[in-house]
Amino acid sequence: MVTHPGPVALQKIIPVSQLITADSGGTVKLSYDNGQIQRHFTIDASLVFAPHAVDRDIVVTMSLDDSLLVLNFIPAMAFNIPAQLQVKAAGLSLSATAASGAYKLFWYNPLTSTWVEMPAQSISVAPAAGSLECINGTIPHFSQYGFGRIFDIITDSLSLLPPVTVHH
């Protein structure tokens, strides 16, 4: 999976919550800047819900693990209409040889301990700049979502930590 720069991450979870209504939908937005001069990292992420994507009004929490470009969403639920994920991140540790098309959006399936590829309108990367942009990533249910290359996902044997639980 895509990692943030630096040998040691702060390993903290950055959460944001927003009320999403059944009638009008809504957007959950997360903006984060680690504030470091060296190994600077920023992310802007939003999850857009169309009207009637959810059956009832609900508070949605999106959180970022600051050691990986992995977003966690709670509460556990599926949607009537998939939500759309938008992400812009800079300062990432990306493979210098990776082509933009090699990066994909994945969700973590805890039942099979595997990462499953999800569609997105586009995912573009600039390895030298350490930037990644995802436009309209399809999010049909809440889980843990991240970005990576299929080759890395297979060869790493999915050795990432299981999904993180956010405690308030």
Side-chain angles (χ1 to χ4, degrees), residues 19-120:
L19 176 67
I20 303 301
T21 65
D23 288 339
S24 60
T27 302
V28 181
K29 295 181 182 180
L30 182 146
S31 290
Y32 176 70
D33 184 323
N34 69 357
Q36 297 181 7
I37 295 173
Q38 295 180 338
R39 299 185 178 103
H40 186 235
F41 168 76
T42 61
I43 182 171
D44 288 301
S46 62
L47 190 62
V48 179
F49 292 84
H52 309 291
V54 294
D55 290 328
R56 58 182 164 72
D57 295 358
I58 189 159
V59 174
V60 170
T61 300
M62 173 173 33
S63 60
L64 170 72
D65 177 333
D66 83 335
S67 63
L68 296 168
L69 184 53
V70 172
L71 296 164
N72 295 286
F73 298 97
I74 56 173
M77 64 184 299
F79 314 127
N80 300 324
I81 302 166
Q84 298 297 305
L85 178 65
Q86 318 300 325
V87 174
K88 286 186 181 182
L92 302 171
S93 297
L94 299 171
S95 171
T97 60
S100 182
Y103 283 85
K104 305 291 182 186
L105 172 65
F106 295 90
W107 75 276
Y108 182 76
N109 183 339
L111 298 176
T112 61
S113 299
T114 59
W115 287 92
V116 179
E117 185 178 342
M118 295 302 297

